[in-house]
Amino acid sequence: MDMENIRQVLEDAAQTFLSAANTITNERRREAEKVFLQFRRSQFSLDLYRYLIEHSSSSYVVYQTLTALREGIVKEWSSLDDPLKEQVVQYLLSYIYTHYSTLSVHVREQALQILVVINKRRKAQRTQIPKNGFTVSIALSNLLQSNNDKEFQ
C-alpha cells in the first residue's frame, strides 16, 4: 500500500472513530480503533511518518502518527542509527517551530514528548552531541521560554 492510500485509510478511520456515538455503530468504531493499533505496531518508517504529518488534514491522524513515531523510537532505539535519530530531531524541531501556532495542543505536546524521549535516551547513553552545538535541550528551552506570545501559544 502506498503512502497516499495509508493516509486515506487512516483519515477514514479517524473520521469514523471521532464520530458522535449516535451516528456510528460500536463495531465500526472498534474497526477504526483497530486500524490505528495496527498502524502503531507497524514497522518504523520515518518517511511514512513525515508524509502523514505533512499531508494529513486530520489532527487526530497527525497525533496517532506522532504516537507511532514515539513508540517506534522507544522500541527500536538501539537499532536506529545516529544519523536517523538526528533526522528525527531536526525534522521535529523544524516542524514545531514552523507550525507551532497552528498545531493543536495534543499534537504539539506529542511532538515535544518525542524530543524529550530522544534527549533522555541520548543522555542515558551519553551519546555525543552533534557538532553543530544545537542540542534538543537548548531547542526545547528556547521554544518554551519564547517571549513571542503570538507565535508560541
Side-chain angles (χ1 to χ4, degrees):
M1 190 180 294
D2 70 357
M3 288 190 249
E4 181 58 25
N5 286 341
I6 293 170
R7 182 194 61 79
Q8 190 60 53
V9 167
L10 291 172
E11 286 187 359
D12 290 346
Q15 185 175 6
T16 299
F17 186 75
L18 298 174
S19 295
N22 63 347
T23 62
I24 202 85
T25 66
N26 285 338
E27 182 180 337
R28 287 201 55 214
R29 189 176 309 280
R30 279 191 300 274
E31 288 172 8
E33 184 177 15
K34 189 175 181 180
V35 167
F36 285 108
L37 290 173
Q38 289 173 339
F39 169 66
R40 287 169 47 186
R41 290 180 185 138
S42 65
Q43 185 164 346
F44 185 90
S45 171
L46 183 56
D47 291 335
L48 175 60
Y49 300 150
R50 279 184 184 168
Y51 181 85
L52 293 171
I53 290 168
E54 293 169 9
H55 293 91
S56 181
S57 59
S58 168
S59 64
Y60 189 74
V61 170
V62 173
Y63 175 81
Q64 289 293 331
T65 300
L66 290 167
T67 300
L69 176 58
R70 187 190 72 217
E71 290 174 358
I73 286 171
V74 169
K75 277 192 307 194
E76 301 180 32
W77 179 260
S78 60
S79 66
L80 298 175
D81 60 3
D82 287 341
L84 180 61
K85 293 171 189 174
E86 187 59 26
Q87 271 187 316
V88 172
V89 168
Q90 294 305 318
Y91 174 73
L92 287 175
L93 287 172
S94 173
Y95 177 73
I96 293 167
Y97 276 119
T98 305
H99 302 287
Y100 197 91
S101 62
T102 60
L103 294 176
S104 64
V105 173
H106 63 279
V107 168
R108 185 182 325 141
E109 288 179 0
Q110 189 71 303
L112 290 169
Q113 284 178 9
I114 294 168
L115 293 171
V116 169
V117 165
I118 291 172
N119 196 41
K120 285 183 176 183
R121 291 277 176 140
R122 282 180 168 172
K123 285 183 178 187
Q125 284 187 324
R126 300 193 193 292
T127 301
Q128 199 133 52
I129 295 171
K131 299 277 185 219
N132 63 12
F134 191 70
T135 66
V136 175
S137 296
I138 293 169
L140 288 172
S141 177
N142 290 342
L143 182 64
L144 296 173
Q145 293 178 6
S146 172
N147 290 329
N148 186 346
D149 292 335
K150 288 182 182 175
E151 185 177 349
F152 299 110
Q153 285 184 342

